[in-house]
Amino acid sequence: MRATTAEQNGFDAATNAGVTGPGLHLAASLVRIMRNHPAALLAGIDVPTMHSFLSRCETTHHATARQIITQGDALDHAYLVIGGAVEISVMDESGNCLLAHLAQAGEVVGEVELLSRRSCVASARARGGSTLARFDSALLRAHVPAERLLQNLSGVLHDRLSRDNSLHLTALFYSSEDRIRSHILRFTTPDAPRTDISQSDLATFSGCSRQTVNRTLAQLRDEGILRLARGSITVLDRNRLRRFRALTDKP
């Protein structure tokens, strides 16, 4: 994907200011990701500011899966996902566990608890191969103006509310095959049509068996709607993927 004029200007400004090296390219990449996903906590900041923010974060690469947030704990930091994915899960008093979300590059984990100073409502587990940038509220406020931060956080919460509402409606009124379609749409966008998600995770999100996921994906592949690879799904025809109907619809 080519950079926009604004992004290129920001990149040039950072270079002219003496900021060079791979860190600058990473900052530019994250700014581009957040442009395509505007409901991000750090959306709207320029490349030099992103570079400054990242240079002050504690960046870690997790070769193997690791728990980074535990439900119920207090939190004095949050994580920006630079690469890989973070599993967000919720457990009830009986020990039943629900995989609620997969946070991917450009998303932040733990920001609501960090800013509200309330205990964690979910646990977070970085998948093997993930790279995360850890930061505290002071660092965040130093790089994102208050008005922008409020707008971004409101956008994040709006998207989560919309997602939760959609999940409830889909679970109640749609078939397993169409729930699978819905979740693939949720994890992709027109600008980012690929998602790295396993069939097992897709089955968990959709509340169905892996056999049903495998059969549905194979059908969508044969119809030219998806392209499948090991551990990833790419949407080729988003409009046709949306063609599902509620169980209450008449045949």
Side-chain angles (χ1 to χ4, degrees), residues 30-194:
L30 286 170
V31 167
R32 183 167 60 250
I33 289 172
M34 292 174 191
R35 175 176 58 85
N36 295 328
H37 302 272
L41 191 66
L42 294 166
I45 65 175
D46 58 21
V47 175
T49 303
M50 180 66 77
H51 181 272
S52 173
F53 175 80
L54 292 173
S55 68
R56 290 164 174 78
C57 289
E58 178 187 343
T59 302
T60 55
H61 179 75
H62 301 284
T64 58
R66 180 185 176 187
Q67 185 95 353
I68 58 172
I69 295 174
T70 301
Q71 183 176 331
D73 284 357
L75 201 64
D76 61 0
H77 58 271
Y79 297 90
L80 169 65
V81 183
I82 295 176
V86 175
E87 301 174 357
I88 310 299
S89 61
V90 182
M91 183 177 293
D92 66 14
E93 295 179 353
S94 300
N96 299 308
C97 188
L98 170 69
L99 180 60
H101 183 59
L102 280 178
Q104 302 182 71
E107 293 187 65
V108 172
V109 178
E111 74 275 47
V112 174
E113 290 84 354
L114 174 65
L115 295 173
S116 68
R117 299 181 182 178
R118 297 189 177 187
S119 61
C120 298
V121 298
S123 295
R125 177 174 176 268
R127 287 188 164 181
S130 298
T131 302
L132 309 177
R134 172 174 164 160
F135 61 90
D136 60 20
S137 60
L139 184 60
L140 177 64
R141 295 176 192 276
H143 288 82
V144 185
E147 184 175 353
R148 165 61 69 176
L149 182 58
L150 177 60
Q151 179 181 345
N152 287 352
L153 182 60
S154 298
V156 169
L157 296 177
H158 181 277
D159 271 18
R160 288 180 185 172
L161 178 60
S162 176
R163 181 183 71 208
D164 289 345
N165 289 342
S166 176
L167 289 175
H168 286 308
L169 290 170
T170 302
L172 285 172
F173 299 115
Y174 289 83
S175 68
S176 56
E177 290 82 0
D178 288 333
R179 292 199 300 273
I180 293 168
R181 289 175 178 249
S182 176
H183 287 295
I184 295 172
L185 287 168
R186 181 162 70 90
F187 285 114
T188 59
T189 68
D191 293 321
R194 170 179 164 169

